[in-house]
Amino acid sequence: MFKTALEPCRGDSRIFNYLISKGLNTKWAEISEGIDYLTTPFEKVDLILTNPPFSLAQEFIEKAIKEADTVIMLLRLNYLGSQKRNIFWNKFPPTALHVLSKRPSFTGSGTDATEYAWFIWDKVNKIDKGIKHII
């Protein structure tokens, strides 16, 4: 399905390691290690998969859409709201949302009582369109 990938917010490497385990040739960025995705040019890849910083999610999405055929970002469901993002959503509507039925734990010590989904922008129709629930 995908051959090349980029994880722009490597963090603790959970997503990066998942991509590697699937046999994808995967590059990464991590600002805490001196590679800022937003200011670093990358070659086009098949897939960008990440959990971006919420405050910079729009910037990450806009850059990623230019650099990959398929972009998947873990975001709070409430990211769909906000009058401020109305123009953005009209320009970049996701092709699919995969809603997480179980709230993820980012620290290993419980969840933050917020609903999350994988927001997907897919230019090449590798992922079914629409809203799905991951149980």
Side-chain angles (χ1 to χ4, degrees):
M1 183 177 221
F2 302 109
K3 293 181 182 174
T4 58
L6 171 66
E7 211 302 28
C9 303
R10 190 173 73 169
D12 67 5
S13 296
R14 280 187 268 183
I15 293 173
F16 177 78
N17 290 338
Y18 171 80
L19 294 168
I20 293 292
S21 77
K22 296 300 179 187
L24 279 71
N25 179 2
T26 306
K27 296 183 182 342
W28 59 271
E30 175 53 50
I31 197 162
S32 68
E33 295 184 44
I35 304 171
D36 182 348
Y37 173 68
L38 293 177
T39 61
T40 303
F42 284 92
E43 293 179 12
K44 188 171 181 180
V45 293
D46 298 326
L47 172 67
I48 292 178
L49 176 65
T50 198
N51 174 12
F54 189 77
S55 64
L56 297 172
Q58 185 171 328
E59 291 87 342
F60 271 75
I61 295 163
E62 289 177 2
K63 184 174 191 283
I65 286 172
K66 296 174 190 171
E67 296 179 339
D69 290 330
T70 303
V71 174
I72 304 174
M73 302 264 178
L74 182 63
L75 297 167
R76 298 174 190 160
L77 272 176
N78 68 354
Y79 196 73
L80 289 168
S82 171
Q83 291 179 346
K84 184 174 108 178
R85 286 189 287 275
N86 186 49
I87 293 170
F88 168 78
W89 286 124
N90 286 325
K91 187 174 181 182
F92 300 106
T95 54
L97 284 175
H98 290 188
V99 179
L100 303 180
S101 298
K102 183 179 176 190
R103 294 178 181 142
S105 174
F106 298 101
T107 63
S109 61
T111 66
D112 62 3
T114 301
E115 307 302 333
Y116 289 85
W118 291 105
F119 286 59
I120 301 165
W121 293 263
D122 182 19
K123 298 179 215 169
V124 292
N125 299 316
K126 290 190 176 186
I127 299 174
D128 291 338
K129 293 178 171 59
I131 298 173
K132 311 275 186 222
H133 287 82
I134 299 173
I135 298 175

